[in-house]
Amino acid sequence: MAVYAVVLGNPGSGGIYAPEFLPTALRGMHRWNVPGLATDLLKSVVYVDRRSTRWPLTGLLLWAVLGASGLLTAALFRSRRADSAGATR
């Protein structure tokens, strides 16, 4: 089984280029992509007052919660599938 992955956002994440210099589609992706959020958080802490860290921290926390819930859900379904396969044998 082949698995293909499309990497979106590494060139357009804003880590190298400011979002103002990106095309419109990538500019919107910068606001929701993890590398873009991390870059914004770092810039906010280092160069700007820390009050502007609210959205990057919220976005990264949202990604962490979604990732953890997806991982736990997949583990739950996998264990149920393994239990049902063992019961039918």
Side-chain angles (χ1 to χ4, degrees), residues 1-2 4-5 11-12 18 24 32-34 37-38 42 49 52 54 59 63 65 68 71 81 88-89:
M1 179 172 94
Y4 298 100
T24 306
W32 293 96
N33 203 1
V34 173
L37 288 168
L42 185 64
D49 61 357
S52 59
R54 191 174 309 140
W63 274 107
V65 167
L71 180 66
R81 186 173 173 193
T88 59
R89 288 187 182 176

Side-chain angles (χ1 to χ4, degrees), residues 13-80:
S13 67
I16 298 172
Y17 303 107
E20 295 81 21
F21 297 122
L22 296 172
T24 306
L26 295 178
R27 193 176 310 145
M29 189 187 320
H30 167 87
R31 186 159 168 77
W32 293 96
N33 203 1
V34 173
L37 288 168
T39 303
D40 283 349
L41 179 62
L42 185 64
K43 284 191 255 184
S44 297
V45 168
V46 173
Y47 298 116
V48 187
D49 61 357
R50 295 174 195 252
R51 288 177 288 175
S52 59
T53 62
R54 191 174 309 140
W55 166 244
L57 279 174
T58 304
L60 288 171
L61 182 64
L62 180 67
W63 274 107
V65 167
L66 288 174
S69 65
L71 180 66
L72 293 174
T73 303
L76 178 70
F77 280 116
R78 185 172 178 151
S79 68
R80 283 187 185 173

